[in-house]
Amino acid sequence: MSYLFNTPEQQQQMLQTIGVDSLEALFSTIPTDLRLDRPLDLPVALTEMELQAHFSKLADQNVGPGDRVCMLGGGAYDHFVPAAVDEIARRGEFYTAYTPYQAEASQGSLQTFFEFQSLICQLTGMDVSNASLYEGGTCVSEAAFMAMRVTNRHNRVVLLGSLHPEYRQVVETYLRHLNCEVVIVPSKDGKVDPADVDAAMDDQTACLVIQHPNFFGTLEEAAELTEIAHRYGALSVVSYDPISLGILSRPGDYGADIAIAEGQSLGTPLQFGGPYLGLFSCSEKFVRRMPGRLIGQTVDRNGKRCYVLNLQAREQHIRRDKATSNICSNQGLIAIRAAVYLSLLGKQGIREVSELSCQKAHYAAEQLSSVEGIDLLFPERPFFKEFAVSCSEGADYLLRKARQAGFDLGPELSRFTFVNNPESYQTAVLVAITEQRTREEIDRLVTTLKA
């Protein structure tokens, strides 16, 4: 949008319309110590030609995962994105289509979201999926709220200590001013003890939130933990890695009530942190309590197949104060990317990506632990594609040595706050290996670190 300025005359007209005499009166409610009482500290103005050159120099400082060897983890991963994903998702019909708020949204967009929902249900083994949420973190809090509505228990939720720390912080922020206790079950050696979970549960708990594989990359006893949740009448909420379902049991297979995920790994590049995609699916009996919107298939008056927004229980529609969520939008374009990616790969393709990531990660873990001063943080725990290593010289030293050789590892665990924060976490970093990494790259990293 072009820059729009206001003349002094126009400013005065607006002030008169809202009933104040001056700009000073308009801003009088803002405390003086919060107001800027000096000109903005801006450099000398540049010409258009100089400004373009300046921004080009700044842009040259950006380094993407394609410029280096990316082994970064912590919730966003460098999986391969087929060229067809970009080609299809960037078509004008999808790229410029309005988010389907209204029933008159285009049939093409609605059909695409319907296919997306169907694919997520096949992937997770769940009954129904919505047309996406913002990203993985807010999915956890939305699942907690949904569990409260389903169970009519509004005062207690239990989270595993191995849940992504930032997801936990989102939940705590959402619930901070509500009369709801957030109980964290500490993790021990990379996973939680089911006995500790059982001790934390009671008949007032709305849900148990499980991440599997967890933040450290290790596997939880998801089926056993789900059974514990059900024993107390609580819902089992499972946060999963979409790629892991190529070889791990699906949440629906072991009785999860709500399955949520960060969907970035399904056809969306890292792109400096977003936008990403929230996946949200559940059992059919809870569908009317689900946040967001649901696309359905029906027939028109001529008997032809068509698609509609058949569940949109949010405040902008009929539910008003009884809305299930105040979510204002879905991630339509990113959901389309996920649908294209899943369609291209199919069941066999997802399994192959999953197997390659798992096999290469285990090879990398074995080789890295052979370097003097580097050890697996949880050597006895099974993992999928991500693992934590500790360095006797410190996490910063390991990251710096790898970075100098063109490898990006991390993040370091010291960045995050955990319920129990062992000293070993201060020297540990996460390493994630996807199907894109090669044996030559892994061996080159190990050789560099040994040197």
Side-chain angles (χ1 to χ4, degrees):
M1 182 180 294
S2 300
Y3 173 67
L4 301 178
F5 63 91
N6 297 314
T7 65
E9 292 78 12
Q10 290 171 326
Q11 291 179 10
Q12 197 60 40
Q13 288 177 359
M14 289 187 285
L15 291 171
Q16 291 175 355
T17 300
I18 62 178
V20 292
D21 298 329
S22 64
L23 286 173
E24 180 63 29
L26 177 64
F27 299 129
S28 62
T29 57
I30 302 175
T32 54
D33 58 331
L34 298 180
R35 301 190 207 177
L36 185 68
D37 57 359
R38 57 170 176 76
L40 291 172
D41 184 15
L42 296 175
V44 177
L46 301 176
T47 66
E48 181 180 355
M49 182 173 63
E50 292 170 331
L51 188 62
Q52 285 187 355
H54 175 66
F55 279 130
S56 294
K57 289 181 180 179
L58 293 178
D60 289 341
Q61 298 178 33
N62 290 332
V63 177
D67 303 317
R68 301 166 61 81
V69 180
C70 180
M71 298 180 178
L72 295 167
Y77 306 98
D78 184 32
H79 285 285
F80 178 72
V81 180
V85 174
D86 285 326
E87 180 66 24
I88 295 172
R90 287 177 178 173
R91 286 180 61 92
E93 304 95 313
F94 293 135
Y95 210 60
T96 62
Y98 182 58
T99 300
Y101 286 141
Q102 284 79 27
E104 60 268 20
S106 70
Q107 283 293 296
S109 294
L110 291 178
Q111 180 177 357
T112 305
F113 296 135
F114 179 82
E115 302 296 350
F116 164 80
Q117 294 169 174
S118 303
L119 289 163
I120 297 304
C121 289
Q122 292 180 40
L123 180 69
T124 60
M126 304 300 289
D127 298 328
V128 291
S129 166
N130 68 12
S132 80
L133 296 184
Y134 290 133
E135 33 65 44
T138 50
C139 277
V140 180
S141 58
E142 290 293 344
F145 281 125
M146 176 176 165
M148 293 178 193
R149 295 189 295 270
V150 169
T151 61
N152 201 28
R153 301 174 181 179
H154 299 272
N155 300 322
R156 200 170 191 272
V157 298
V158 177
L159 314 180
L160 298 194
S162 55
L163 178 70
H164 196 305
E166 292 173 350
Y167 293 3
R168 186 194 72 237
Q169 290 175 320
V170 172
V171 174
E172 291 172 339
T173 299
Y174 267 76
L175 298 178
R176 179 165 297 165
H177 298 293
L178 300 177
N179 185 27
C180 183
E181 178 187 12
V182 180
V183 178
I184 314 296
V185 182
S187 62
K188 299 176 181 177
D189 297 327
K191 66 185 289 292
V192 299
D193 187 336
D196 293 339
V197 176
D198 187 71
M201 300 290 291
D202 63 21
D203 60 3
Q204 294 303 308
T205 302
C207 65
L208 171 64
V209 180
I210 307 159
Q211 185 170 351
H212 173 67
N214 64 30
F215 175 69
F216 305 108
T218 64
L219 307 185
E220 298 285 355
E221 302 292 343
E224 183 178 352
L225 295 175
T226 292
E227 184 180 337
I228 291 173
H230 291 165
R231 192 183 308 153
Y232 290 91
L235 298 193
S236 168
V237 177
V238 177
S239 177
Y240 60 92
D241 177 341
I243 297 298
S244 74
L245 300 186
I247 56 176
L248 298 181
S249 296
R250 303 178 301 174
D253 294 338
Y254 51 82
D257 300 294
I258 304 173
I260 53 179
E262 169 55 65
Q264 173 271 329
S265 57
L266 302 179
T268 298
L270 291 172
Q271 56 189 24
F272 300 98
Y276 287 165
L277 169 68
L279 308 180
F280 197 108
S281 53
C282 68
S283 300
E284 185 175 6
K285 58 185 175 182
F286 304 136
V287 64
R288 290 191 174 274
R289 304 287 187 174
M290 185 169 60
R293 70 209 66 179
L294 186 71
I295 312 302
Q297 177 181 291
T298 184
V299 294
D300 63 15
R301 62 184 178 181
N302 297 318
K304 295 182 179 179
R305 181 173 57 179
C306 64
Y307 300 90
V308 295
L309 278 166
N310 58 346
L311 279 180
Q312 43 188 330
R314 58 205 190 100
E315 84 290 346
Q316 292 182 345
H317 293 96
I318 60 172
R319 298 296 290 275
R320 300 184 183 278
D321 60 318
K322 296 181 180 179
T324 59
S325 171
N326 67 347
I327 290 174
C328 296
S329 178
N330 64 352
Q331 292 289 63
L333 190 60
I334 312 300
I336 289 172
R337 296 183 67 90
V340 176
Y341 178 87
L342 288 169
S343 300
L344 285 169
L345 268 67
K347 293 181 179 180
Q348 183 61 31
I350 290 292
R351 182 176 182 85
E352 290 178 4
V353 171
S354 183
E355 288 177 340
L356 285 171
S357 298
C358 184
Q359 292 165 1
K360 293 181 177 184
H362 282 75
Y363 175 77
E366 179 182 348
Q367 296 303 307
L368 284 170
S369 60
S370 71
V371 179
E372 184 179 355
I374 297 179
D375 299 289
L376 293 179
L377 190 60
F378 309 115
E380 303 301 321
R381 301 301 185 196
F383 63 92
F384 170 53
K385 69 179 182 187
E386 189 169 11
F387 54 92
V389 297
S390 62
C391 178
S392 59
E393 297 289 339
D396 289 342
Y397 175 84
L398 174 59
L399 294 177
R400 185 174 67 254
K401 293 290 287 185
R403 194 177 301 119
Q404 290 171 351
F407 295 86
D408 291 322
L409 312 181
E412 58 269 45
L413 295 188
S414 60
R415 277 181 44 186
F416 305 97
T417 302
F418 301 93
V419 175
N420 60 328
N421 205 0
E423 191 170 331
S424 61
Y425 286 13
Q426 302 306 307
T427 60
V429 302
L430 290 176
V431 180
I433 306 295
T434 69
E435 81 284 5
Q436 293 216 84
R437 303 286 65 86
T438 66
R439 181 172 184 146
E440 182 273 332
E441 290 171 339
I442 296 169
D443 291 343
R444 185 155 48 90
L445 171 63
V446 171
T447 301
T448 298
L449 295 177
K450 284 183 176 180

mmCIF file of all heavy atoms in Angstrom, residues 54-64 272:
data_model
loop_
_atom_site.group_PDB
_atom_site.id
_atom_site.type_symbol
_atom_site.label_atom_id
_atom_site.label_comp_id
_atom_site.label_asym_id
_atom_site.label_seq_id
_atom_site.Cartn_x
_atom_site.Cartn_y
_atom_site.Cartn_z
ATOM 1 N N HIS A 54 21.638 -0.163 -0.518
ATOM 2 C CA HIS A 54 21.773 -0.428 0.913
ATOM 3 C C HIS A 54 21.032 -1.704 1.308
ATOM 4 O O HIS A 54 21.571 -2.571 2.017
ATOM 5 C CB HIS A 54 21.232 0.763 1.706
ATOM 6 C CG HIS A 54 21.211 0.548 3.190
ATOM 7 N ND1 HIS A 54 22.362 0.406 3.938
ATOM 8 C CD2 HIS A 54 20.168 0.426 4.064
ATOM 9 C CE1 HIS A 54 22.036 0.220 5.212
ATOM 10 N NE2 HIS A 54 20.715 0.234 5.305
ATOM 11 N N PHE A 55 19.792 -1.859 0.827
ATOM 12 C CA PHE A 55 19.016 -3.050 1.160
ATOM 13 C C PHE A 55 19.609 -4.309 0.519
ATOM 14 O O PHE A 55 19.511 -5.402 1.080
ATOM 15 C CB PHE A 55 17.556 -2.874 0.743
ATOM 16 C CG PHE A 55 16.745 -2.078 1.722
ATOM 17 C CD1 PHE A 55 15.969 -1.018 1.304
ATOM 18 C CD2 PHE A 55 16.760 -2.397 3.064
ATOM 19 C CE1 PHE A 55 15.217 -0.285 2.202
ATOM 20 C CE2 PHE A 55 16.015 -1.675 3.975
ATOM 21 C CZ PHE A 55 15.242 -0.609 3.558
ATOM 22 N N SER A 56 20.222 -4.151 -0.645
ATOM 23 C CA SER A 56 20.866 -5.305 -1.270
ATOM 24 C C SER A 56 22.028 -5.799 -0.415
ATOM 25 O O SER A 56 22.228 -7.014 -0.257
ATOM 26 C CB SER A 56 21.374 -4.934 -2.664
ATOM 27 O OG SER A 56 20.297 -4.640 -3.531
ATOM 28 N N LYS A 57 22.791 -4.873 0.158
ATOM 29 C CA LYS A 57 23.883 -5.271 1.043
ATOM 30 C C LYS A 57 23.349 -5.973 2.289
ATOM 31 O O LYS A 57 23.927 -6.957 2.761
ATOM 32 C CB LYS A 57 24.698 -4.042 1.437
ATOM 33 C CG LYS A 57 25.537 -3.462 0.306
ATOM 34 C CD LYS A 57 26.340 -2.256 0.782
ATOM 35 C CE LYS A 57 27.176 -1.691 -0.349
ATOM 36 N NZ LYS A 57 27.950 -0.496 0.090
ATOM 37 N N LEU A 58 22.248 -5.467 2.837
ATOM 38 C CA LEU A 58 21.663 -6.114 4.003
ATOM 39 C C LEU A 58 21.163 -7.513 3.661
ATOM 40 O O LEU A 58 21.356 -8.461 4.421
ATOM 41 C CB LEU A 58 20.498 -5.266 4.552
ATOM 42 C CG LEU A 58 20.859 -3.915 5.157
ATOM 43 C CD1 LEU A 58 19.582 -3.192 5.611
ATOM 44 C CD2 LEU A 58 21.805 -4.082 6.337
ATOM 45 N N ALA A 59 20.519 -7.646 2.495
ATOM 46 C CA ALA A 59 19.984 -8.947 2.081
ATOM 47 C C ALA A 59 21.096 -9.967 1.874
ATOM 48 O O ALA A 59 20.906 -11.168 2.108
ATOM 49 C CB ALA A 59 19.140 -8.799 0.821
ATOM 50 N N ASP A 60 22.269 -9.494 1.441
ATOM 51 C CA ASP A 60 23.386 -10.407 1.202
ATOM 52 C C ASP A 60 23.887 -11.051 2.488
ATOM 53 O O ASP A 60 24.600 -12.060 2.448
ATOM 54 C CB ASP A 60 24.538 -9.669 0.520
ATOM 55 C CG ASP A 60 24.220 -9.322 -0.935
ATOM 56 O OD1 ASP A 60 23.298 -9.953 -1.499
ATOM 57 O OD2 ASP A 60 24.871 -8.411 -1.479
ATOM 58 N N GLN A 61 23.535 -10.464 3.632
ATOM 59 C CA GLN A 61 23.962 -11.027 4.912
ATOM 60 C C GLN A 61 23.097 -12.219 5.325
ATOM 61 O O GLN A 61 23.475 -12.981 6.212
ATOM 62 C CB GLN A 61 23.898 -9.966 6.013
ATOM 63 C CG GLN A 61 24.819 -8.783 5.775
ATOM 64 C CD GLN A 61 24.697 -7.735 6.863
ATOM 65 O OE1 GLN A 61 24.453 -8.057 8.016
ATOM 66 N NE2 GLN A 61 24.852 -6.476 6.498
ATOM 67 N N ASN A 62 21.933 -12.367 4.715
ATOM 68 C CA ASN A 62 21.064 -13.500 5.040
ATOM 69 C C ASN A 62 21.692 -14.801 4.565
ATOM 70 O O ASN A 62 22.238 -14.873 3.474
ATOM 71 C CB ASN A 62 19.684 -13.338 4.377
ATOM 72 C CG ASN A 62 18.880 -12.224 5.005
ATOM 73 O OD1 ASN A 62 19.055 -11.905 6.175
ATOM 74 N ND2 ASN A 62 17.989 -11.630 4.229
ATOM 75 N N VAL A 63 21.582 -15.822 5.400
ATOM 76 C CA VAL A 63 22.078 -17.147 5.042
ATOM 77 C C VAL A 63 20.946 -18.140 5.260
ATOM 78 O O VAL A 63 20.434 -18.274 6.371
ATOM 79 C CB VAL A 63 23.294 -17.550 5.902
ATOM 80 C CG1 VAL A 63 23.744 -18.968 5.547
ATOM 81 C CG2 VAL A 63 24.437 -16.565 5.700
ATOM 82 N N GLY A 64 20.531 -18.799 4.196
ATOM 83 C CA GLY A 64 19.455 -19.776 4.288
ATOM 84 C C GLY A 64 20.002 -21.180 4.414
ATOM 85 O O GLY A 64 21.213 -21.421 4.241
ATOM 86 N N PHE A 272 13.078 -18.509 7.656
ATOM 87 C CA PHE A 272 13.311 -17.567 8.747
ATOM 88 C C PHE A 272 12.197 -17.555 9.795
ATOM 89 O O PHE A 272 11.892 -16.533 10.393
ATOM 90 C CB PHE A 272 13.546 -16.149 8.204
ATOM 91 C CG PHE A 272 14.724 -16.064 7.290
ATOM 92 C CD1 PHE A 272 14.560 -16.096 5.912
ATOM 93 C CD2 PHE A 272 16.012 -15.979 7.790
ATOM 94 C CE1 PHE A 272 15.655 -16.046 5.053
ATOM 95 C CE2 PHE A 272 17.103 -15.931 6.940
ATOM 96 C CZ PHE A 272 16.934 -15.960 5.566
#
